[in-house]
Amino acid sequence: MCSIQEGDIENPIKKDKTEKSKVCMKCGGEAVLITRINDPLCRDCFMVYTTHKFRAAIGKSKIIRDGETVLVGFSGGQASSCLLQLIKDGLSERAHKKLRFKPSLLFIDEGAAIDMSAEERLDSCQKILQVMAKSGFPCHIRSLEEAMDSSFITTDSSKDSLASTELPDLDEQSQGQRSKNDLDTDRPKPAEKPKTNGLPIDKDFKEKCIHYDESEIKLKELLKSLKSVTAKEDLIKSLRYNILIDTARKHSHTKVMTGDCSTRLSVRLLSDISQGKGAHVAMETGFADKRLDDITVVRPIRDFSSKEVTLHNVLNDVESVFIPTLTTKAPQNTSIEHLTESFITGLQADYGSTVMNIMRTGEKLNTEILDSTEQQCIICHAPLDTSTGIASALNAVEFSQKISRKNDDKLSPECCGEGDGSCNTKSGRLNKEEALSTLCYGCRLMVKDLSDVNKLPEYIQRDITNRVNRSKMKADIQDYLLADD
Ligand SMILES: [Zn+2]
Ligand SMILES: [Zn+2]
């Protein structure tokens, strides 16, 4: 039921570019910027405003406890640089009511996904490292292809850390120098140079590099086998999410912070809805994402618009690093997300309340959290939204897809006769139909785009096989079970 009242949403008044007040609305001093729709503020009042907004978001939620260690996802972009600066200011001794959590930073190198050369990857990692090291917080660097590694596990049991490297007291200069030497002398191919972190190259490390090369090839093949850019973006997003979670688990953090601002989130909200992921938008865009039992993802700057983020960074001389993405310089209709982004930013330029209205409408949505892991999507861990009624749109779509690929007998092989459901798993290969049954609607769309499900990262394949085998076993012994309602 729609609960929007009249006056709840501000009228979309087109911006008047001619008339702007030059007086700070708080102190009456000289205003240097206009924030929200038409609020002139001076520099000092703007800083008070942003600091308050950030701290109120953290304080109000009461999610982060004193002394807790928090993993902060750092991409080097404007929003995460702004978040890092706000955290630094909040933790500093001179802060009024000092924040008391302990952050550590994680940068995920996604160079492999966009075919960056070894030199470019090394260069961007070094730039990021320098920015991260200046904060004085512990830093980690991981790469996206690590998720393709056979030893990559995201379950709680994997406390042994091998992939990520801690850099507590980083000496930027020697760090950069040594990594560069590694590149020049040792490995011309894109191996994870920044991972050496100044350690001498020994046999073990070389083996690890070869390992990463394999993972990099696997990742590139997987991305290549996805037809649409939208599916590629989805996959990268989900691998990124899993690496964040995995790092948090390995270092026993229970909170992850991301620098998603409201402009970013409103793009995500609309593009998720247009891709049939409406059931999860509350998790994807809310302040706290509690889909996992052990780790909560929080978005402390979700009330900041991208304009406020940029203003904050300019006024504070905050450094940020530009890292290209899959759709940088691409035409606007390359992917659904890219198109949504240009739609929203175009609208926002003329109607200043666009993003705010999208976010406030999104806040009225809610996701039901289910307690059983059997009912979670294997890839994104959101509750499955696919157990709909027989007359649902989803069933109709599935039915027509089944009919149209009737001739493709590879998708539904006959039983080998053993009746234990081992026909498909015997060869160690996943069956697409079975894989789809363990996924939410949004992830199904992504996997349907894939030519071969066996290209998926091994941890996903393993989880799917386990889930499928378990549900087969459950079905087999169903008759002998006492009914539980
Ligand atoms: Zn002022
Ligand atoms: Zn999913």
Side-chain angles (χ1 to χ4, degrees):
M1 185 84 171
C2 181
S3 61
I4 296 173
Q5 305 292 316
E6 210 169 320
D8 220 13
I9 285 180
E10 282 147 73
N11 286 328
I13 304 158
K14 195 159 180 168
K15 272 187 196 166
D16 183 5
K17 304 228 178 202
T18 51
E19 209 185 300
K20 266 172 197 164
S21 170
K22 290 269 168 88
V23 181
C24 172
M25 62 179 282
K26 290 260 158 71
C27 70
E30 194 192 345
V32 292
L33 54 95
I34 307 279
T35 187
R36 284 180 290 213
I37 297 159
N38 200 13
D39 293 347
L41 289 176
C42 69
R43 186 189 180 280
D44 289 348
C45 293
F46 179 71
M47 291 319 299
V48 171
Y49 162 75
T50 48
T51 310
H52 174 77
K53 199 143 89 158
F54 169 68
R55 306 196 44 145
I58 290 184
K60 213 164 56 186
S61 69
K62 294 195 180 115
I63 286 177
I64 297 161
R65 292 184 299 272
D66 283 1
E68 197 169 17
T69 51
V70 176
L71 183 69
V72 182
F74 184 77
S75 71
Q78 290 281 351
S80 55
S81 303
C82 171
L83 173 64
L84 179 58
Q85 183 67 36
L86 286 165
I87 293 174
K88 260 189 335 200
D89 291 346
L91 291 171
S92 75
E93 286 303 328
R94 58 199 159 80
H96 172 64
K97 279 192 191 165
K98 192 174 168 241
L99 288 174
R100 296 192 184 279
F101 62 87
K102 294 184 185 132
S104 57
L105 310 177
L106 168 68
F107 169 67
I108 301 173
D109 170 23
E110 300 179 5
I114 49 167
D115 283 326
M116 274 165 83
S117 70
E119 287 78 7
E120 286 169 330
R121 288 182 72 175
L122 179 65
D123 187 50
S124 65
C125 283
Q126 276 175 350
K127 278 185 197 153
I128 296 273
L129 259 177
Q130 281 178 6
V131 177
M132 293 206 299
K134 270 182 204 159
S135 70
F137 303 136
C139 314
H140 315 277
I141 286 198
R142 298 188 72 178
S143 62
L144 201 63
E145 57 263 38
E146 278 179 45
M148 303 302 291
D149 202 282
S150 53
S151 61
F152 182 81
I153 318 167
T154 51
T155 43
D156 222 349
S157 55
S158 67
K159 293 275 189 237
D160 55 323
S161 163
L162 56 100
S164 107
T165 318
E166 255 180 274
L167 319 162
D169 301 305
L170 185 77
D171 175 2
E172 305 154 31
Q173 218 49 41
S174 71
Q175 159 68 25
Q177 207 51 49
R178 245 174 277 187
S179 310
K180 204 165 204 116
N181 289 343
D182 296 347
L183 177 81
D184 295 340
T185 56
D186 204 55
R187 297 191 57 81
K189 288 282 283 172
E192 299 311 300
K193 254 70 58 184
K195 265 193 197 61
T196 63
N197 297 324
L199 299 170
I201 301 238
D202 57 6
K203 198 170 138 273
D204 274 7
F205 181 74
K206 274 188 191 165
E207 274 170 17
K208 221 161 128 189
C209 278
I210 295 164
H211 209 42
Y212 282 121
D213 271 351
E214 264 172 39
S215 308
E216 189 180 337
I217 294 164
K218 276 192 208 162
L219 176 68
K220 285 183 172 165
E221 273 179 11
L222 173 61
L223 285 168
K224 214 191 271 172
S225 65
L226 285 164
K227 281 175 236 118
S228 71
V229 180
T230 303
K232 285 183 219 259
E233 278 182 331
D234 266 2
L235 179 81
I236 293 173
K237 198 177 117 203
S238 113
L239 296 183
R240 188 191 299 138
Y241 172 79
N242 276 303
I243 291 177
L244 264 173
I245 298 299
D246 185 59
T247 313
R249 280 189 180 136
K250 278 180 175 149
H251 296 273
S252 318
H253 299 331
T254 51
K255 303 284 156 20
V256 171
M257 258 186 202
T258 58
D260 295 305
C261 67
S262 63
T263 314
R264 178 89 250 120
L265 291 173
S266 61
V267 171
R268 188 178 298 168
L269 198 147
L270 283 199
S271 69
D272 273 4
I273 287 176
S274 56
Q275 291 176 73
K277 296 183 209 161
H280 306 146
V281 286
M283 284 180 174
E284 293 281 348
T285 61
F287 176 78
D289 181 346
K290 293 183 178 169
R291 75 181 74 177
L292 296 170
D293 292 335
D294 54 338
I295 290 166
T296 308
V297 179
V298 287
R299 308 184 176 97
I301 57 164
R302 74 181 287 280
D303 290 330
F304 285 58
S305 69
S306 58
K307 182 182 161 189
E308 284 168 347
V309 164
T310 315
L311 287 170
H312 172 272
N313 290 355
V314 169
L315 293 176
N316 288 285
D317 280 329
V318 177
E319 249 182 295
S320 65
V321 183
F322 172 74
I323 307 272
T325 66
L326 212 54
T327 51
T328 305
K329 288 189 193 164
Q332 62 174 25
N333 55 1
T334 306
S335 72
I336 294 178
E337 194 176 306
H338 203 47
L339 186 61
T340 314
E341 191 181 343
S342 54
F343 169 67
I344 290 180
T345 44
L347 212 55
Q348 175 74 18
D350 282 337
Y351 300 95
S353 56
T354 306
V355 165
M356 211 194 299
N357 283 344
I358 296 172
M359 293 302 284
R360 283 172 66 186
T361 312
E363 274 158 21
K364 294 172 203 290
L365 302 167
N366 199 5
T367 309
E368 192 189 347
I369 306 243
L370 303 164
D371 43 359
S372 161
T373 48
E374 285 295 298
Q375 286 163 323
Q376 277 181 351
C377 168
I378 294 278
I379 294 184
C380 70
H381 308 290
L384 284 183
D385 51 357
T386 47
S387 53
T388 45
I390 205 145
S392 68
L394 175 67
N395 266 337
V397 172
E398 305 266 283
F399 180 73
S400 68
Q401 275 168 349
K402 219 174 259 180
I403 296 287
S404 60
R405 63 168 177 237
K406 206 168 57 181
N407 300 327
D408 193 355
D409 55 356
K410 260 179 267 159
L411 287 171
S412 50
E414 293 294 313
C415 179
C416 64
E418 289 202 11
D420 59 354
S422 60
C423 319
N424 307 317
T425 43
K426 232 182 220 165
S427 56
R429 291 184 71 77
L430 273 182
N431 169 296
K432 201 168 192 171
E433 296 275 275
E434 281 179 345
L436 292 181
S437 71
T438 63
L439 306 178
C440 71
Y441 183 72
C443 296
R444 279 185 192 191
L445 287 186
M446 180 180 84
V447 171
K448 271 178 193 163
D449 200 56
L450 196 67
S451 54
D452 180 6
V453 279
N454 292 283
K455 284 206 167 80
L456 282 172
E458 280 182 41
Y459 78 94
I460 295 180
Q461 291 193 40
R462 213 162 33 217
D463 287 354
I464 291 178
T465 312
N466 288 345
R467 169 87 60 89
V468 168
N469 287 346
R470 232 184 357 252
S471 53
K472 270 181 194 156
M473 203 165 73
K474 212 169 164 187
D476 286 345
I477 59 167
Q478 193 62 49
D479 294 344
Y480 308 102
L481 292 175
L482 295 172
D484 59 4
D485 27 4

